[in-house]
Amino acid sequence: MQNTRIKARRLPRDPGPAAWNRILPVRAGYAPLEQDVSVDWAIVGGGFAGLAAAQRLSQLVNGESIMVLEASQLAEGPAGRNSGFMIDLPHELNSESYAGSHDADIRQIRQNRSAIRFASAMAEEYGFAAGTLTAVGKVTAACTAKGQRHIQSYRQHLDSIGEPYRLMDHADMIEYTGSEFYHTGLFTPGVVMIQPAGFIRQAAAGLVERKGVVIHENTPVQQLDLTSGLHTLTTPKGKVKARRVIMAVNGHIQSFGFYPSRLLHVFTYASMTRRLSQDELQRLGGEQDWGILPADPMGTTVRKISNYQGSGDRLIIRNHATLNQSLEASQGNLNRARKMQQLSFERRFPMLKGVEMEYLWGGRLCLSLNSVPAFGEVGERLWSACCQNGLGTVKGTLAGMMAAELAAGNANNPELLEFMQTAEPRRLPPEPFLSFGANTVMRIKEWQAGLEV
Ligand SMILES: Cc1cc2nc3c(=O)[nH]c(=O)nc-3n(C[C@H](O)[C@H](O)[C@H](O)COP(=O)(O)OP(=O)(O)OC[C@H]3O[C@@H](n4cnc5c(N)ncnc54)[C@H](O)[C@@H]3O)c2cc1C
């Protein structure tokens, strides 16, 4: 193997605060790397993929040293910025109704459930606090005739693949959410909801305290030197020599020069209210904890959370998506999201007039045109577990598990063989057509989604 030097062209920048992390008690962080070290395994990125890879490796390569290097702080990146739906069913963001083809969907469900079982087993093993990960299902809800048609087609698809669901009428929806906004809903039982930052923090603590994994925060990998012996990862204050490296950086795999012109970098945005008072909670009504996905993929996701570890009862709203191939979102993107989310909130919760949003943020997704991961051995003893196509709590977990299997030499594992039966991410159209075209289409689809937004 020839020696290869790869410099990271960009490091992650996340717009606004990671609210799920900010509402939790302040914790002592993991110290940045400040010396040169040697390890058996280096994992770059401490999100769902990175921590799942560390967990699976700790089961497969007992006694070997594992180090996770995180550019920022755990749960400050997309892993602490998402809506926390671990969805077992197909969730194609590129599709009109989230559904894909029949066989692909059956395979996807099997894989998603395997990842959810893996995450649930971690929660069990490390004794996660109550409410961090709960198997409560989710509701896909509609408030327009178009949304109801989406639900109808989703329902037919679930029938065709033999998946259970329960239809909810207007009265059920009021009982569930307290809001009169939704006409109908479709409940599916297999979804697990997480407090994403709580999940990441406790998974990391379990790995460090119980498995001897070493984590360094505020330790961006700025350069990779790949050699036939040990690879070297350069960070601001120390170098890591590693026999094997797993890249779990989602879209930032492109910042290291891999998958050029193959990855879409989409930002989506969310707001979280301040704590609701007892009086506001009574006016709201509905269940204590619930989650709604919009029938129209361009619509609004809503969650109500109860008082997780003293962090208060709050509502979380997510909508709006922009393609930012620079991997950075602008203040203008955030401002537009703020306006859209204020309107979405007022429409749904008129009884909470005057309740302000305490946090507004954006976060990166990485998608490919053909909805496949950027996965595999991308250099000698260098693996990629990236591009989670918008469902990283599940697909990131799966990619991390599978990268660990592949890297540890379990090449005949049937789950891995099935996971690897996918095409490579398809090549994107050239700029400026790509960004202009994709952003225009998303604005039109948002407009067409009407009240579902
Ligand atoms: C508002 C919003 C709502 C969402 N809702 C959901 C949802 O309900 N369900 C769902 O499944 N998904 C959801 N997602 C998507 C989900 O958050 C991502 O898909 C998921 O975080 C990807 O996991 P990952 O581990 O692959 O990558 P990430 O979580 O992005 O983790 C990668 C880590 O790598 C680090 N990194 C990058 N470069 C370097 C470097 N050079 N050196 C060291 N570290 C580096 C980053 O700081 C980051 O912490 C949502 C996203 C957003 C923004």
Side-chain angles (χ1 to χ4, degrees), residues 163-229:
E163 284 295 328
Y165 59 83
R166 177 166 52 84
L167 283 173
M168 294 166 75
D169 63 16
H170 184 54
D172 296 328
M173 292 306 296
I174 295 176
E175 208 171 302
Y176 186 60
T177 63
S179 167
E180 300 201 4
F181 185 75
Y182 297 104
H183 298 179
T184 46
L186 185 144
F187 172 81
T188 52
V191 167
V192 163
M193 305 292 277
I194 55 173
Q195 204 296 11
F199 181 97
I200 291 289
R201 283 180 176 208
Q202 291 169 86
L207 285 162
V208 170
E209 288 157 22
R210 308 268 286 273
K211 301 288 175 67
V213 170
V214 174
I215 298 181
H216 291 291
E217 294 180 288
N218 297 311
T219 305
V221 173
Q222 300 164 309
Q223 182 174 301
L224 292 173
D225 284 284
L226 307 176
T227 69
S228 53

Side-chain angles (χ1 to χ4, degrees), residues 8 10-12 14 44-50 69-73 75-87 219-222 248-252 256 267-270 293 301 318 361-366 385-396:
R10 295 183 212 94
L11 294 174
D14 302 297
V44 186
F48 292 94
L69 302 165
E70 168 53 50
S72 164
Q73 282 165 306
E76 280 290 305
R81 290 168 179 264
N82 59 76
S83 306
F85 289 71
M86 293 196 90
I87 302 174
T219 305
V221 173
Q222 300 164 309
V249 292
N250 209 14
H252 275 284
F256 290 90
F267 276 75
T268 186
Y269 305 85
L293 289 179
T301 304
R318 184 217 57 84
W361 70 95
R364 261 169 290 115
L365 311 177
C366 177
C386 299
C387 187
Q388 325 303 4
N389 288 288
L391 192 61
T393 63
V394 172
K395 292 189 180 181

